[in-house]
Amino acid sequence: MLSFETTTPGGPLAPVESEIPQPQGSEVIVKMLACGVCHSDIHMHDGVFDLGHGKQLEVGRPGMVLGHEIFGEVVAFGPESEGAAIGDRRVVYPWIGCGECASCLRGDENLCTPGRALGIAAKGGFAEYVSVPHSRYLFDKGDVSDSLAATYACSGLTAYSALNKLGEVGKGDEVVIIGAGGVGMMAIQIALSKGLDPIVVDIDEAKLASAKELGVTRTFNSGDPQSGKEIRKSTGGAYAVLDFVGAEASVNYGLGCLRKGGMIIIIGLYGGSLNIPIPFLPMNARIIQGSYVGTLKDMGELMELVRAGKIDPIEIHERPLAEAEAALADLKAGKVRGRQVLVNN
């Protein structure tokens, strides 16, 4: 089989031929049909996360097969596998844990460290075939396209899990979404399906226009330094901000939109650091929370909504698997609207 592996940090992906994995125990082998290209793939390809003040977290290594938004067809399974059949076409939940630690036993496999996440700790979808530890990580997509289905494994799941952290949104509780890229657009779709009318913020007018096309009624360009004040003035302060950028500027912008007792949920991994006077935290009674992808339970709930047709599709751009490196470059350069998906026909 053909896979594309990392070499040096930020360097070219190397095409590698190897044997198709042979399933053991409960393992399931899927032929990759579609694999989304995510901003997290950029960080893993570059090998670092920016921690601010010149500090970096090293995460990459040579020989990684990136890609965690995987949709594929079951072609083989181990002797202990249950619930999988040859020819099943399924979305793969990639945030797989060890199965034994406290996080996994609590149902939070996505928080297992180091875990066995596909495309991060284990070989992912920038390859013709992928090994999945168990059939419980496979989900029926319903009638949506293969390429759109792949994006629900991270983009959709991340957005769904973050929105779940809002709790009950009452009358007058305004929700702000910062970042209308691939994950942010998915969050907009899910928010609208829940009956929310989010305020959407981005620095790109084209992305704001796309948000309006989906039905968003209020957008603000964060390039205008006064726009955050306008949001706070017009709403009396937002109940919650979902930051799908995760940069110093976006987090500070989001904090400036909040009312007392409001929350900011940081999802994006762009990088930087945050400096807040400690007395402001109790004085403003604000919640600063991180959100990392989602649980297996979240995935099940999300796919129920997808199969029921309650989430409108986002913009998808298909590219052949051989263009994995070019897809990463275009995403890094900010040339992508919606989501790029690698296909393996």
Side-chain angles (χ1 to χ4, degrees):
M1 74 171 193
L2 177 66
S3 59
F4 290 87
E5 300 187 358
T6 57
T7 53
T8 57
L13 298 179
V16 176
E17 287 284 354
S18 61
E19 295 294 325
I20 297 173
Q22 297 301 306
Q24 307 294 319
S26 64
E27 292 175 343
V28 179
I29 306 302
V30 299
K31 178 184 178 182
M32 189 281 281
L33 300 177
C35 182
V37 182
C38 177
H39 270 94
S40 296
D41 292 318
I42 294 176
H43 292 295
M44 301 306 292
H45 180 230
D46 287 345
V48 296
F49 283 91
D50 177 15
L51 302 181
H53 304 294
K55 298 179 181 179
Q56 294 180 326
L57 174 65
E58 296 185 1
V59 293
R61 63 185 186 279
M64 297 178 66
V65 179
L66 304 175
H68 48 266
E69 292 189 340
I70 304 164
F71 175 80
E73 180 177 336
V74 175
V75 295
F77 50 82
E80 298 172 17
S81 176
E82 297 178 357
I86 302 299
D88 284 350
R89 295 161 64 88
R90 298 289 186 260
V91 182
V92 180
Y93 175 85
W95 312 106
I96 298 165
C98 69
E100 299 176 354
C101 69
S103 292
C104 287
L105 295 176
R106 194 170 51 242
D108 296 330
E109 284 193 60
N110 55 308
L111 303 182
C112 178
T113 303
R116 298 179 289 167
L118 302 179
I120 296 176
K123 294 183 182 295
F126 287 12
E128 292 179 320
Y129 295 89
V130 181
S131 177
V132 183
H134 197 281
S135 63
R136 67 173 172 268
Y137 301 116
L138 305 180
F139 289 85
D140 182 9
K141 71 181 177 66
D143 297 328
V144 302
S145 73
D146 296 355
S147 293
L148 177 61
T151 67
Y152 291 118
C154 178
S155 177
L157 177 63
T158 299
Y160 180 81
S161 177
L163 283 162
N164 271 356
K165 291 177 173 62
L166 296 180
E168 185 174 347
V169 180
K171 183 178 180 180
D173 288 340
E174 298 284 6
V175 176
V176 177
I177 291 176
I178 299 178
V183 185
M185 289 297 277
M186 190 73 79
I188 292 167
Q189 296 283 35
I190 297 172
L192 292 171
S193 76
K194 289 176 172 284
L196 300 177
D197 180 23
I199 297 168
V200 176
V201 175
D202 202 285
I203 201 166
D204 186 333
E205 284 293 338
K207 291 178 179 178
L208 294 176
S210 295
K212 288 181 178 179
E213 290 173 5
L214 296 177
V216 170
T217 60
R218 296 164 295 172
T219 63
F220 291 84
N221 191 313
S222 55
D224 177 0
Q226 298 300 313
S227 60
K229 294 180 180 179
E230 290 180 29
I231 293 173
R232 186 173 176 84
K233 182 177 179 181
S234 64
T235 63
Y239 162 69
V241 171
L242 301 174
D243 182 3
F244 289 96
V245 179
E248 288 184 41
S250 63
V251 173
N252 281 305
Y253 184 100
L255 287 169
C257 295
L258 291 176
R259 71 191 189 200
K260 279 194 173 183
M263 71 175 77
I264 181 168
I265 299 173
I266 304 168
I267 307 104
L269 296 165
Y270 190 89
S273 63
L274 186 62
N275 183 16
I276 301 177
I278 291 174
F280 285 5
L281 292 173
M283 287 168 63
N284 289 314
R286 288 173 176 164
I287 298 170
I288 300 174
Q289 182 173 0
S291 185
Y292 182 67
V293 294
T295 66
L296 194 62
K297 180 176 181 290
D298 289 333
M299 186 72 179
E301 293 172 355
L302 170 65
M303 294 312 297
E304 284 185 11
L305 293 175
V306 171
R307 291 191 296 271
K310 294 184 178 180
I311 302 176
D312 291 334
I314 62 170
E315 186 174 347
I316 298 291
H317 304 277
E318 293 184 351
R319 307 183 71 154
L321 174 60
E323 294 184 9
E325 185 178 328
L328 285 173
D330 287 348
L331 185 60
K332 187 174 182 179
K335 297 180 179 179
V336 180
R337 238 175 49 161
R339 203 70 160 181
Q340 295 181 112
V341 176
L342 304 176
V343 294
N344 176 35
N345 298 321

